[in-house]
């Protein structure tokens, strides 16, 4: 399929739109789908199912509540190429996933600093937690810097990550798609091979990748992500995937634990030692939030139904259409040489992106900004005429 062919007909796009009628009844042109995804109309019925179980079943609701969490994990596993594998646990944030990993590494248990290789392009939450571990003497971070492209975009090179990994490295952290530029990191296999050679664990942050590009990775130890953006599931529904090989060997036991990670939680037996359950359950913690599974499963099912391949083709097509529409109004969007090397949003360089986005919002267009760029993330639900109107509004403010 050509990069710019939209696999959904206009009628299909209208039918998809109709499944978001409540959110789309707002007059705004929403181009921040890469930030907070739209709530599907079906969300309300799902939240009501959660509440109805509580009203009608009280503590007997737990069995079905746990099943909904299992459905969340299964939906997520399918979207990361691990269909049918019990390798995902629900978390409330990526930060929580990261801490669970940091607090499982053998070196950390002996209270020596963990050696971490991470890129400068990791999201603020990850960056901040790593710096706190470093400030507390619990981690030493080797930061991999980006290089500026001819178009002024800071880009990461897998080889620079590979070069930073040494036999001293305990953990390597990199995003699969960079949150501030949308760069799709290529060279994952080389990073995984070097990490393996050096006995380092490898964590991929897949937040901007899952649901955007097909994710089917060999060689990860951990992947993390969440439902806030492309998964249309709102805040609080995040996940950690652990390679089944690690679950099987049980070689990592995290301090971030609780009674839902215990062997036979509901037998209420107390052993002298902390006996963990098997598999992914061993990475659960205390009583989990349940409503977030009901909140997120509607979006996850919808993304699976629409298909990531088709959504990716749509995203490439409508981003191109959007950039052309903006350019026709004189807006100088960055035109990637190879759009396949970028995720689900397009960039406009701006020295005061945040201020500009405030003005833009006052003019009926929602976008956001990071590190010198305004990010415009359209979705399959946007209509072509919206790009023209948004282009006009942007041009009038520049
Ligand atoms: C790449 C990436 N990782 C993680 C997060 C969220 O981190 P947390 O769940 O810890 O708030 C985001 C949010 O925008 C992100 O873009």
């Amino acid at each position: 399929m050509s990069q710019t062919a939209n696999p959904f007909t206009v009628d299909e796009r209208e039918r998809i739109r109709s499944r978001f009628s409540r959110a789309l009844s707002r007059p705004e042109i929403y181009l921040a789908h890469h930030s907070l995804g739209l709530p599907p109309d079906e969300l309300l019925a799902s939240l009501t199912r959660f509440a109805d179980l509580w009203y009608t079943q009280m503590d007997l609701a737990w069995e079905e509540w746990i099943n909904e969490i299992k459905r969340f994990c299964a939906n997520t596993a399918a979207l990361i190429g691990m269909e049918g594998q019990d390798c995902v646990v629900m978390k409330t944030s990526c930060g929580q996933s990261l801490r669970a990993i940091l607090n499982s590494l053998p070196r950390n248990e002996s209270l020596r600093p963990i050696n971490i290789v991470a890129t400068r392009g990791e999201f603020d939450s990850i960056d901040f937690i790593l710096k706190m571990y470093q400030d507390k003497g619990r981690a030493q971070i080797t930061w991999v810097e980006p290089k500026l492209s001819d178009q002024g975009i800071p880009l990461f090179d897998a080889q620079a990550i590979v070069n930073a990994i040494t036999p001293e490295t305990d953990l390597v952290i990199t995003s699969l798609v960079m949150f501030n530029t949308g760069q799709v990191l290529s060279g994952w296999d080389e990073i995984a091979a070097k990490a393996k050679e050096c006995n380092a664990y490898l964590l991929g942050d897949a937040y901007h990748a899952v649901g955007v590009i097909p994710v089917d990775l060999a060689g990860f130890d951990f992947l993390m992500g969440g439902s806030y953006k492309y998964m249309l599931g709102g805040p609080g529904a995040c996940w950690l995937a652990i390679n089944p090989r690690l679950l099987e060997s049980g070689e990592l036991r995290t301090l971030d634990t609780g009674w839902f990670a215990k062997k036979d939680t509901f037998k209420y037996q107390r052993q002298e030692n902390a006996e963990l359950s098997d598999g992914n359950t061993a990475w659960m913690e205390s009583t989990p939030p349940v409503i977030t599974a009901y909140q997120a499963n509607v979006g996850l099912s919808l993304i699976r139904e629409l298909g990531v391949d088709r959504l990716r083709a749509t995203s490439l097509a409508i981003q191109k259409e959007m950039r052309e529409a903006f350019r026709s109004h004189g807006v100088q969007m960055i035109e990637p040489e190879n759009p396949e090397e970028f995720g689900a949003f397009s960039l406009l360089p701006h020295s005061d992106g945040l201020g500009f986005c405030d003005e833009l919002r006052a003019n009926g267009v929602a976008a956001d900004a990071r590190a010198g760029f305004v990010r415009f993330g359209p979705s399959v639900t946007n209509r072509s005429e919206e790009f023209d109107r948004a282009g006009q509004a942007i041009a009038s403010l520049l």
Side-chain angles (χ1 to χ4, degrees):
M1 189 176 302
S2 109
Q3 273 179 15
T4 49
N6 191 332
F8 293 105
T9 63
V10 173
D11 279 356
E12 279 173 318
R13 284 166 71 176
E14 286 300 317
R15 273 200 295 279
I16 297 170
R17 257 186 87 87
S18 71
R19 295 170 76 171
F20 298 90
S21 65
R22 292 196 64 172
L24 291 175
S25 65
R26 300 163 68 245
E28 185 177 69
I29 300 174
Y30 193 72
L31 296 175
H33 297 275
H34 57 280
S35 178
L36 176 62
L38 295 177
D41 290 349
E42 294 158 68
L43 170 66
L44 221 49
S46 187
L47 295 178
T48 302
R49 271 198 300 282
F50 162 78
D52 276 346
L53 278 164
W54 187 0
Y55 285 128
T56 60
Q57 309 283 315
M58 288 305 295
D59 56 342
L60 297 180
W62 268 107
E63 192 178 337
E64 188 43 32
W65 281 352
I66 295 282
N67 284 339
E68 191 72 14
I69 294 178
K70 286 186 181 156
R71 280 192 280 274
F72 172 86
C73 297
N75 274 330
T76 303
L79 285 165
I80 58 171
M82 305 293 286
E83 183 147 20
Q85 307 232 36
D86 289 333
C87 62
V88 172
V89 263
M90 197 168 83
K91 298 279 175 191
T92 57
S93 67
C94 282
Q96 192 189 20
S97 298
L98 173 63
R99 288 190 301 276
I101 298 165
L102 296 176
N103 295 339
S104 76
L105 297 177
R107 195 186 288 228
N108 193 330
E109 282 168 13
S110 62
L111 296 181
R112 283 184 291 137
I114 325 163
N115 280 316
I116 298 173
V117 169
T119 82
R120 284 283 185 202
E122 300 316 308
F123 181 66
D124 298 48
S125 174
I126 308 314
D127 181 87
F128 192 75
I129 290 168
L130 292 179
K131 285 175 179 160
M132 184 59 82
Y133 269 70
Q134 179 162 267
D135 289 354
K136 295 276 237 174
R138 299 292 293 272
Q140 261 166 5
I141 325 281
T142 302
W143 296 105
V144 177
E145 305 288 342
K147 284 205 185 107
L148 274 195
S149 74
D150 294 345
Q151 292 177 307
I153 311 174
L155 295 180
F156 290 90
D157 177 13
Q159 192 54 46
I161 303 175
V162 168
N163 293 344
I165 304 171
T166 71
E168 296 301 305
T169 306
D170 298 297
L171 178 68
V172 181
I173 305 174
T174 181
S175 291
L176 308 184
V177 175
M178 297 293 163
F179 81 96
N180 51 4
T181 61
Q183 178 197 357
V184 176
L185 188 80
S186 60
W188 172 268
D189 289 347
E190 288 76 15
I191 298 170
K194 180 70 182 290
K196 188 162 184 231
E197 183 192 314
C198 292
N199 282 323
Y201 294 101
L202 176 57
L203 163 63
D205 183 338
Y207 220 128
H208 273 278
V210 178
V212 173
I213 52 172
V215 172
D216 191 357
L217 295 174
F220 76 85
D221 293 300
F222 302 102
L223 284 182
M224 62 185 180
S227 275
Y228 188 74
K229 311 168 188 298
Y230 312 102
M231 297 294 105
L232 315 169
C238 291
W239 51 268
L240 171 65
I242 304 119
N243 191 304
R245 171 182 47 78
L246 289 178
L247 293 176
E248 191 123 319
S249 72
E251 68 196 62
L252 294 179
R253 290 158 53 93
T254 180
L255 287 170
D256 289 21
T257 193
W259 70 303
F260 272 68
K262 248 180 95 173
K263 194 178 162 75
D264 300 326
T265 295
F266 297 109
K267 286 197 179 151
Y268 300 97
Q269 279 162 2
R270 300 215 179 171
Q271 315 294 348
E272 271 318 299
N273 297 100
E275 259 192 67
L276 284 172
S277 177
D278 295 329
N280 54 346
T281 314
W283 287 78
M284 289 184 79
E285 301 187 16
S286 298
T287 313
V290 175
I291 195 167
T292 42
Y294 284 86
Q295 179 190 310
N297 274 335
V298 175
L300 286 169
S301 301
L302 187 51
I303 298 296
R304 289 185 68 191
E305 176 194 326
L306 298 177
V308 175
D309 285 335
R310 295 213 299 167
L311 287 169
R312 173 60 168 164
T314 303
S315 169
L316 290 172
I318 58 176
Q319 284 189 74
K320 184 166 189 290
E321 186 186 345
M322 177 187 75
R323 289 192 301 267
E324 280 168 5
F326 288 3
R327 210 169 298 117
S328 73
H329 291 282
V331 177
Q332 293 306 315
M333 297 293 288
I334 288 189
E335 190 56 41
E337 275 163 34
N338 181 2
E340 303 263 359
E341 291 172 1
F342 290 86
F345 55 89
S346 296
L347 301 175
L348 172 70
H350 200 294
S351 54
D352 176 23
L354 290 174
F356 181 73
C357 285
D358 286 345
E359 286 181 65
L360 202 52
R361 189 169 281 258
N363 282 267
V365 181
D368 69 4
R370 301 283 182 271
F373 296 103
V374 180
R375 306 186 299 180
F376 293 96
S379 99
V380 63
T381 56
N382 284 110
R383 289 183 174 137
S384 300
E385 54 89 16
E386 290 181 304
F387 300 144
D388 187 55
R389 280 197 286 129
Q392 252 173 20
I394 297 163
S396 72
L397 294 171
L398 284 173

